[in-house]
């Protein structure tokens, strides 16, 4: 069978065997959770509670501020002990609400016990999506409800769920598709109703045959298509998935709505499904803890705000000296230097590499082999972009479309000169956006 | 040889000579008639400028500055590199009474690899701003030198080298005070400082003393000992950081001796005893 995919891309080793067949475990309640007010792209939420207050699991503790923002819910019951800047995955200190557990995990009485999808209107669903605090759980953490308010004149035809999970090592979405198939389908049906879309699709890479068969069985008779995708990175990148599923091309700099499509992660759909089923907003998520530096790799469901340290201890601790700790996958995840940072809505995993796996690579000049050009799924010229960025030629870099780079990392992975193209490009991008802000 | 072929050669020589003379005269006339009159002073001033095209003045190269000086857009002292501006002033037919004091770059951080705490091992691009973008850089101090040498790379005079301790060292002889390094440093640690005055606070950390002690052995903790010691009131402590006003500083060296963190450094002048007696 000819599998659908996109042009270009790379084939990094998957490294998913360690955890792909392990059922999701539930992490014991943490003693303390740190919930940053800024877990999503957009304006930070505004706290509704004050220090010393008792909160219950699922209680709304921070309200959305503005359109591109979502509320935040307490992930355990207990006492608010601090609202102060705390370490965050970005490396900075970010205001956060710290809750100390009372160990009872009492569910807040203000939560409904569930919703019946058939009785809800599209607008009500959109409101529920927002009230559940949903953001893109694949890593970008973009507030989900915003996608369902398309600009005037645009109609959402398809809702695509992203189950590609193309990042090496990660298996949390895989396990969700196998174990929580019904919630994912319920979530997708709700998304489709909210968007008034005619069809839903779920794209899954074929290295997850059990997920594909479980989903195929569950969607019988529904207007949902399961699309097996070729195993290739970055298959789960929004535009690549849209192309593979619909053969539609989203223009550079445009949103998927231009192609009449909305893409959500399967984990986001599962979270919405769970909210409709039992009224629990987004206060926990499934993550993969893996890598050669972890004693017992696992898929675990953790409360948001649990510290990375607690999750690593639960997974048996480090195996040897850790070399690099990454939140998310190895291709796009940011490396961390401390363990007291919290798991957030967009954190999909913890990857620990050993000291031996991490080495300082001396990079050489570009040899013009063109491998990065063959790999770049955005049809950019990373060889030129990297060189322009290295020598501060920002105007040229912008002309060559540096701002269209989504930093998937394919070029850096493939480069035989070991050039740190993504870091160079990121640095140049931040300089360009900073100078644009300055000049207005 | 036949007569016919000889003719061909003579004709060719004749034609080329004719064309050469005609175009020569044409070009000679054109260069006189169509000449762009440029001020001879531009060339003269360009000769007097250092010729490094460093851009420290804000103009594209020395020629650009020479044109600006002649057109009167900038004063004759606009070149930050030239030490003696009087020859340029002479070309312009004016006199500079007192040439400004020479300034050199001074790196205001003493926290190298030995003194400052590192949060992680940085394996990325050897570029300070790239490191700064990565979780704020490897140094625990959010104000200190990142040590990847953007200033050394940008210096057109080769005046900045990176020490083994990972700090930039300014060669005071070579430094011309063009100021390119002050712009290259993403943390703004380099300031232009009067060349004669060597007593400087080598720290920019504005955090409270306890926090500074955690991240650096030689950071300013804002204890105000120097402020109290200074006989001329040249030192003020603002936002937990001591600052010296070079115009008031007499380099008596009391602050250098008293500083508990050894953050203030500088050569103490010989006349110190005399000044103190006064």
């Amino acid at each position: 069978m000819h599998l659908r995919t996109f042009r270009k891309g790379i084939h990094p080793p998957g490294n998913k065997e360690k955890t792909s067949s392990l059922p999701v475990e539930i992490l014991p309640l943490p003693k303390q959770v740190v919930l940053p007010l800024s877990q999503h792209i957009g304006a930070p939420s505004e706290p509704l509670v004050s220090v010393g207050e008792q909160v219950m699991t699922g209680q709304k503790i921070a309200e959305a501020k503005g359109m591109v923002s979502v509320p935040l819910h307490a992930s355990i019951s207990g006492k608010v002990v601090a609202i102060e800047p705390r370490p965050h995955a970005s490396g900075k200190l970010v205001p956060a609400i710290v809750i100390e557990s009372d160990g009872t995990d009492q569910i807040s009485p203000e939560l409904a016990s569930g919703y019946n999808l058939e009785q809800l209107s599209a607008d009500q669903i959109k409101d529920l999506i927002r009230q559940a605090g949903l953001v893109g759980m694949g890593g970008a953490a973009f507030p989900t409800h915003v996608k369902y308010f398309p600009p005037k004149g645009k109609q959402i035809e398809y809702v695509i769920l992203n189950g590609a999970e193309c990042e090496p090592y990660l298996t949390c979405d895989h396990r969700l598709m196998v174990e929580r198939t019904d919630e994912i389908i319920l979530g997708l049906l709700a998304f489709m109703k909210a968007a008034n879309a005619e069809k839903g699709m779920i794209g899954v890479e074929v290295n997850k045959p059990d997920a594909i068969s479980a989903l195929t069985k569950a969607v019988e008779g529904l207007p949902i298509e399961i699309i097996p995708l070729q195993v290739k990175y970055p298959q789960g990148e929004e535009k690549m998935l849209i192309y593979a599923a619909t053969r539609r091309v989203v223009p550079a700099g445009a949103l998927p709505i231009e192609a009449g499509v909305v893409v959500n992660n399967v984990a986001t759909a599962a979270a919405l499904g769970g909210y409709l089923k039992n009224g629990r907003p987004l206060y926990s998520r499934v993550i993969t803890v893996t890598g050669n530096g972890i004693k017992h790799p696992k898929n675990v469901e953790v409360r948001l705000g649990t510290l990375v340290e607690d999750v690593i201890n639960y997974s048996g601790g480090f195996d040897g000296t850790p070399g690099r700790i990454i939140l998310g996958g190895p291709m796009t995840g940011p490396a961390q230097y401390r363990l007291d940072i919290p798991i957030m809505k967009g954190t999909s995993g913890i990857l620990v590499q050993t000291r031996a796996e991490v080495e300082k690579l001396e990079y050489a000049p570009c040899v013009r082999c063109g491998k990065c050009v063959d790999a770049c799924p955005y049809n950019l010229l990373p060889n030129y972009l990297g060189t322009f960025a290295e020598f501060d030629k920002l105007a040229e870099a912008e002309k060559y479309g540096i701002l269209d780079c989504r930093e998937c990392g394919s070029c850096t992975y493939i480069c035989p000169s070991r050039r740190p193209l993504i870091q160079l490009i990121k640095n140049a991008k931040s300089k360009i956006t900073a100078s644009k802000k300055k000049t207005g | 040889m036949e007569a016919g072929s000889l003719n061909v050669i003579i004709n060719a020589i004749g034609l080329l000579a004719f064309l050469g003379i005609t175009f020569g005269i044409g070009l000679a006339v054109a260069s006189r008639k169509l000449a762009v009159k440029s001020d001879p002073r531009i060339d003269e001033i360009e000769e007097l400028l250092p010729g490094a095209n460093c851009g420290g003045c804000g103009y594209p190269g020395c020629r650009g500055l020479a044109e600006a000086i002649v057109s009167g857009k900038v004063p004759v002292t606009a070149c930050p590199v030239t030490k003696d501006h009087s020859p340029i002033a002479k070309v312009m037919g004016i006199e500079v009474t007192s040439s400004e004091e020479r300034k050199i770059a001074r790196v205001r951080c003493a926290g190298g690899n030995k003194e400052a705490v590192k949060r992680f091992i940085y394996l990325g691009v050897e570029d300070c701003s790239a490191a700064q973008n990565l979780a704020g850089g490897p140094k625990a101090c959010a104000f200190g030198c990142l040590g990847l040498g953007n200033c050394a790379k940008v210096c057109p005079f080769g005046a900045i080298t990176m020490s083994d301790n990972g700090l930039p060292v300014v060669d005071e002889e070579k430094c011309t005070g063009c100021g390119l390094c002050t712009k290259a440093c993403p943390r703004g640690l380099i300031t232009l400082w009067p060349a004669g005055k060597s007593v400087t606070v080598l720290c920019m950390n504005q955090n409270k003393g306890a926090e500074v002690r955690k991240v650096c052995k030689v950071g300013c903790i804002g204890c105000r000992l120097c402020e109290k010691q200074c006989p001329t009131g040249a030192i003020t402590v603002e936002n937990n950081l001591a600052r010296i006003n070079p115009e008031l500083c007499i380099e008596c060296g009391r602050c250098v001796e008293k500083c508990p963190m050894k953050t203030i450094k500088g050569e103490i002048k010989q006349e110190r005893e005399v000044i103190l007696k006064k």
Side-chain angles (χ1 to χ4, degrees):
Chain A
M1 187 174 71
H2 183 72
L3 291 169
R4 294 200 218 168
T5 186
F6 62 99
R7 284 186 62 225
K8 302 189 175 182
I10 53 168
H11 297 273
N15 289 318
K16 290 177 190 265
E17 316 75 37
K18 274 189 179 172
T19 51
S20 59
S21 55
L22 299 177
V24 173
E25 294 174 33
I26 292 174
L27 189 87
L29 276 189
K31 286 201 182 79
Q32 196 186 55
V33 290
V34 178
L35 295 158
L37 293 169
S38 180
Q39 303 204 11
H40 49 265
I41 292 177
S45 327
E46 237 177 22
L48 295 172
V49 290
S50 48
V51 177
E53 211 171 299
Q54 282 287 331
V55 292
M56 280 187 249
T57 310
Q59 184 184 336
K60 198 196 274 182
I61 52 171
E63 184 55 277
K65 201 178 162 195
M67 175 69 184
V68 187
S69 187
V70 288
L72 182 65
H73 304 85
S75 56
I76 52 174
S77 65
K79 204 167 99 179
V80 178
V81 290
I83 301 176
E84 60 185 18
R86 285 289 177 114
H88 183 266
S90 66
K92 293 174 194 139
L93 297 176
V94 169
I97 299 176
V98 186
I99 304 171
E100 216 166 67
S101 173
D102 56 9
T104 58
D105 194 26
Q106 264 187 326
I107 303 290
S108 167
E110 65 188 48
L111 297 179
S113 59
Y115 301 90
N116 190 346
L117 181 57
E118 275 162 27
Q119 289 164 6
L120 294 169
S121 71
D123 286 336
Q124 280 171 321
I125 297 173
K126 285 180 197 176
D127 191 51
L128 284 179
I129 293 173
R130 186 169 196 187
Q131 288 311 320
L134 285 187
V135 301
M137 288 165 76
F142 184 76
T144 303
H145 65 274
V146 181
K147 295 182 182 177
Y148 290 92
F149 290 96
K152 263 196 184 147
K154 296 270 187 274
Q155 165 64 27
I156 301 168
E157 291 171 56
Y158 305 122
V159 176
I160 305 179
L161 286 193
N162 184 355
E165 199 160 54
C166 59
E167 274 266 8
Y169 288 102
L170 301 183
T171 56
C172 51
D173 290 354
H174 181 180
R175 291 316 302 171
L176 277 179
M177 286 187 281
V178 175
E179 294 175 30
R180 302 191 187 167
T181 322
D182 296 344
E183 287 169 31
I184 292 174
I185 302 299
L186 180 62
L188 176 55
L189 288 172
F191 280 137
M192 286 161 61
K193 194 165 178 189
N196 196 16
E198 55 192 63
K199 196 174 162 190
M201 300 177 180
I202 307 178
V204 189
E205 281 189 356
V206 288
N207 57 2
K208 301 180 247 306
D210 46 347
I212 295 177
S213 62
L215 288 168
T216 316
K217 214 182 275 169
V219 298
E220 256 172 58
L222 295 170
I224 298 174
E225 189 188 349
I226 308 298
I227 302 168
L229 300 164
Q230 197 181 316
V231 181
K232 196 158 85 170
Y233 183 87
Q235 183 67 70
E237 219 293 320
E238 201 168 57
K239 292 183 182 179
M240 306 309 132
L241 182 66
I242 293 170
Y243 180 75
T246 64
R247 297 282 137 183
R248 293 180 185 182
V249 177
V250 182
L255 293 171
I257 190 69
E258 290 295 320
V261 178
V262 163
V263 179
N264 281 115
N265 194 273
V266 284
T268 317
L272 178 62
Y275 184 51
L276 296 176
K277 221 164 145 183
N278 50 31
R280 306 221 169 141
L282 178 57
Y283 61 74
S284 71
R285 69 159 296 152
V286 178
I287 64 167
T288 305
V289 192
T290 184
N292 291 333
I294 283 280
K295 275 222 176 93
H296 306 299
K298 280 180 187 348
N299 296 302
V300 278
E301 178 163 8
V302 300
R303 298 296 170 97
L304 295 178
T306 308
L307 300 183
V308 169
E309 205 172 0
D310 296 341
V311 184
I312 288 177
N313 287 340
Y314 178 72
S315 311
F318 291 124
D319 193 5
T321 319
R324 191 183 274 150
I325 299 155
I326 297 168
L327 280 196
M331 297 301 288
T332 56
Q336 300 298 327
Y337 62 89
R338 54 200 302 171
L339 296 176
D340 54 355
I341 43 170
I343 303 292
M344 298 190 295
K345 292 175 179 176
T347 311
S348 46
I350 303 171
L351 169 63
V352 181
Q353 293 179 313
T354 60
R355 203 57 180 266
E357 285 176 292
V358 182
E359 50 177 327
K360 173 146 182 142
L361 300 171
E362 293 300 329
Y363 64 94
C366 172
V367 293
R368 294 161 184 264
C369 64
K371 280 193 172 176
C372 54
V373 182
D374 284 343
C376 180
Y378 292 95
N379 297 324
L380 297 171
L381 303 171
N383 50 344
Y384 283 108
L385 295 181
T387 312
F388 287 145
E390 191 177 2
F391 295 102
D392 241 12
K393 305 268 182 239
L394 300 182
E396 282 91 338
E398 206 182 337
K399 207 171 113 192
Y400 277 66
I402 199 167
L403 296 177
D404 294 328
C405 168
R406 307 299 306 152
E407 298 162 14
C408 71
S410 302
C411 51
T412 315
Y413 176 82
I414 208 87
C415 180
S417 278
R418 309 277 201 189
R419 288 175 66 71
L421 292 163
I422 288 300
Q423 203 193 357
L424 289 167
I425 290 170
K426 267 188 179 176
N427 189 26
K429 274 171 81 175
S430 71
K431 279 184 194 169
I432 292 172
T433 39
S435 75
K436 276 195 174 162
K437 256 185 209 161
K438 223 186 247 172
T439 52
Chain B
M1 197 182 276
E2 283 176 42
S5 56
L6 192 68
N7 263 346
V8 170
I9 292 169
I10 291 168
N11 284 349
I13 291 171
L15 182 68
L16 279 177
F18 169 74
L19 282 176
I21 291 163
T22 332
F23 287 142
I25 292 169
L27 282 172
V29 172
S31 76
R32 285 280 167 85
K33 292 251 165 172
L34 305 172
V36 180
K37 278 193 186 117
S38 77
D39 200 318
R41 292 180 298 177
I42 293 176
D43 292 311
E44 277 178 59
I45 292 176
E46 197 189 353
E47 282 291 303
L48 294 167
L49 289 171
N53 296 323
C54 70
C57 55
Y59 284 90
C62 295
R63 177 93 192 168
L65 179 65
E67 281 167 11
I69 290 176
V70 170
S71 65
K73 279 182 210 154
V74 287
V76 290
T77 51
C79 175
V81 176
T82 311
K83 284 167 195 160
D84 184 10
H85 289 103
S86 53
I88 301 173
K90 209 170 157 193
V91 174
M92 293 299 291
I94 53 171
E95 248 180 70
V96 269
T97 43
S98 64
S99 71
E100 233 182 276
E101 198 176 1
R102 184 178 160 237
K103 284 191 170 178
I104 56 159
R106 189 139 291 171
V107 185
R108 291 173 67 186
C109 174
N113 295 333
K114 282 181 212 149
E115 295 87 7
V117 177
K118 283 199 176 176
R119 302 185 292 181
F120 55 89
I121 304 163
Y122 177 73
L123 299 175
V125 183
E126 295 275 324
D127 182 285
C128 300
S129 69
Q132 166 89 7
N133 276 338
L134 194 92
K139 285 249 171 95
C141 173
F143 298 87
C145 173
L146 291 156
L148 294 168
N150 273 19
C151 50
K153 275 175 232 157
V154 82
C155 180
F157 302 97
I160 305 181
T161 45
M162 297 304 291
S163 73
D164 295 338
N165 196 19
L167 283 177
V169 180
V170 180
D171 184 330
E172 302 195 0
E173 288 300 307
K174 286 186 189 163
C175 178
T176 59
C178 69
L180 283 184
C181 49
T182 61
K183 289 169 206 150
C185 179
R187 292 190 158 177
L189 284 174
I190 307 181
T191 31
L192 293 179
W193 197 259
K197 298 283 169 84
S198 68
V199 178
T200 338
V201 182
L202 296 180
C203 185
M204 291 287 264
N205 195 322
Q206 298 182 10
N207 285 341
K208 288 203 173 123
E211 283 167 45
V212 176
R213 274 180 201 270
K214 270 185 220 159
V215 297
C216 187
K217 286 183 198 158
V218 292
C220 175
I221 52 171
C223 66
R224 292 176 188 269
L225 271 181
C226 50
E227 194 181 47
K228 284 172 202 152
Q229 286 293 321
C230 187
T232 60
I235 306 181
T236 45
V237 177
E238 262 176 61
N239 296 330
N240 308 307
L241 176 65
R243 293 162 205 270
I244 296 181
N245 181 351
E247 281 172 24
L248 295 177
C249 175
I250 53 167
E251 305 198 286
C252 65
R254 284 183 182 184
C255 52
V256 180
E257 276 168 21
K258 279 285 168 188
C259 180
M261 300 296 284
K262 301 280 167 252
T263 310
I264 308 182
K265 289 205 174 91
E267 282 168 41
I268 300 158
K269 285 278 161 68
Q270 292 296 314
E271 318 84 273
R272 180 183 173 212
E273 293 305 316
V274 184
I275 297 165
L276 287 183
K277 269 173 200 163
K278 272 180 195 168

